[in-house]
Each structure stands twice: as structure tokens, then as C-alpha cells.
């Protein structure tokens, strides 16, 4: 397969994340390694401000979010040209503890070609530039979570 | 005059009762900075948010000195918190 044909998935969805199907979609005859990062709703937080979470409510500026997810995938390919398939998927809506909310998966020929770093870069970058927000609902009330990254020109 | 529709998300949307967008008429050549000042005047509930809000023009991040193009898709929202 030519590099321009490598599968790239970038999607905002209200559906359950099917980790097996997403991995299958970026697995090629030439890939022998994948790194998958997934995040899920944490019901009990002990680090920092210890608290419990009833659920998170996610919303997105969908067309821009999907275009920025594509940009994250493009940046991964620029930094790690050995990466073959990429999936960047964010679930939105009301999500309860233990539910997967996001998936970043990358595939390549071998495990020593940057897959771990590329997946880490993907989730870090998503949290910087992809327009998605979450409201945390806990037993005492609700609060929008705001990030702290201010995008620069051209991002 | 430039007529614009600004999509709002997260805290900003809730602050004005859940409206998904607001519409404003600006002088031609107005910048994002001027737009923010006008929103703060016309929507006092959003005044505080204008200090830290991110703005986009046609789905790309835009900054205070950028001129608001007529007919563009604008959006305003807090720093993102996906994942």
C-alpha cells in the first residue's frame, strides 16, 4: 500500500467506541505493531482535588473538531513517517464512569518505529487543539472543565 | 456593515440561556478585539468570558488583530478540555 493510501480515521461520535473494530480498520498486511491509548471516565479521583464523578457531559464543535483531529493525524505522520494507520476518535454525550471516551491508535511495521511516542503525542495534541469540552457532574453540583492551552497562530 | 453569526459552546452557551449562537452587526473592518468588546457590551453575561475566550474564523483559531470577514463562520469557546 502506498503511504498516501494509509487509513486515517478522525471522528466525533455519540456511539460506543468499538476498540476492536477501530484497531481492525488501521491494521494492514504490512503492520505488525499498534499502540492504543484510550481514556475513560474516572469515577473516583484521588490525585489533587479528591472527589467523585457521577458522569461527564461532552460536547464538540463537530466540523472543526474533526478537521483538527485530521490535523493531529497529519502532524503524527510528519513526525513519525513510519506510522501507517491512525485512528483519532472522541465520543461525546453523557458518559458514566468506566466508559471509554477517546481513542488514539497508531500502527506501524514494528514496535520500535515510534508507535508509543506517536500515540502519546496524539492524545496530548487532541487535548490542546481539538474543540471538545466536558462538564463534570458530581454529587454536589456541576462544573465545566476548562483546559489551559492557548493555541498559537497556525494551529 | 458586517453581519456575523457566532457559534457558542460550553460555558458561553450556558451563560446566555443555552442559545447556540448570537448575531451581531459590526462596522466593516472590525477586528476580533472589537468584536469581543461589542459582545461584552451587548451581552453583559458574557463580559467575563471575553477575557479568556478562544475565537475561530472558518474553523481556524484567530487572534485579536484579525479582521472579521463578512459571512464567515465564527465561534467562541473556552480553552478545550476533550479526551
Amino acid at each position: 500500500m502506498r503511504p498516501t493510501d494509509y487509513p486515517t480515521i478522525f471522528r466525533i461520535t455519540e456511539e460506543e467506541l468499538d476498540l476492536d473494530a477501530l484497531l481492525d480498520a488501521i491494521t494492514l498486511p504490512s503492520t505488525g505493531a499498534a499502540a492504543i491509548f484510550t481514556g475513560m471516565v474516572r469515577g473516583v479521583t484521588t490525585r489533587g482535588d479528591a472527589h467523585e464523578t457521577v458522569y461527564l457531559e461532552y460536547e464538540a464543535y463537530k466540523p472543526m473538531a474533526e478537521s483538527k483531529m485530521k490535523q493531529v493525524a497529519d502532524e503524527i505522520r510528519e513526525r513519525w513517517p513510519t506510522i501507517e494507520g491512525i485512528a483519532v476518535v472522541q465520543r461525546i454525550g453523557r458518559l458514566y464512569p468506566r466508559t471509554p471516551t477517546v481513542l488514539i491508535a497508531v500502527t506501524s511495521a514494528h514496535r520500535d518505529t515510534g508507535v508509543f511516542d506517536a500515540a502519546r503525542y496524539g492524545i496530548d495534541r487532541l487535548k490542546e487543539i481539538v474543540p471538545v469540552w466536558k462538564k463534570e457532574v458530581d454529587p454536589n453540583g456541576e462544573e465545566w472543565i476548562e483546559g489551559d492551552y492557548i493555541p498559537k497562530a497556525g494551529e | 456593515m458586517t453581519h456575523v453569526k457566532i457559534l457558542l459552546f460550553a460555558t458561553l452557551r450556558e451563560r446566555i440561556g443555552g442559545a447556540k449562537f448570537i448575531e451581531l452587526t459590526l462596522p466593516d473592518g472590525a477586528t476580533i478585539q472589537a468584536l469581543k468588546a461589542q459582545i461584552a457590551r451587548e451581552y453583559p453575561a458574557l463580559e467575563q468570558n471575553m477575557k479568556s475566550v478562544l475565537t475561530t474564523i472558518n474553523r481556524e483559531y484567530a487572534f485579536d488583530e484579525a479582521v472579521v470577514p463578512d459571512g464567515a463562520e465564527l465561534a467562541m469557546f473556552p480553552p478545550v478540555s476533550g479526551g
Side-chain angles (χ1 to χ4, degrees), chain A residues 59-122:
Chain A
E59 75 171 55
Y61 176 12
K62 189 173 177 179
M64 177 172 171
E66 291 186 335
S67 122
K68 288 291 157 189
M69 291 162 117
K70 164 75 163 54
Q71 180 181 321
V72 170
D74 291 344
E75 290 179 9
I76 288 174
R77 289 194 196 289
E78 203 172 293
R79 284 167 176 73
W80 293 275
T82 47
I83 297 295
E84 298 189 19
I86 302 179
V88 182
V89 185
Q90 169 78 56
R91 186 175 177 189
I92 58 171
R94 180 175 297 190
L95 302 176
Y96 289 88
R98 305 185 75 259
T99 308
T101 61
V102 68
L103 171 122
I104 312 283
V106 296
T107 57
S108 72
H110 305 278
R111 72 181 184 283
D112 60 358
T113 59
V115 283
F116 296 100
D117 289 341
R120 171 66 190 260
Y121 179 87

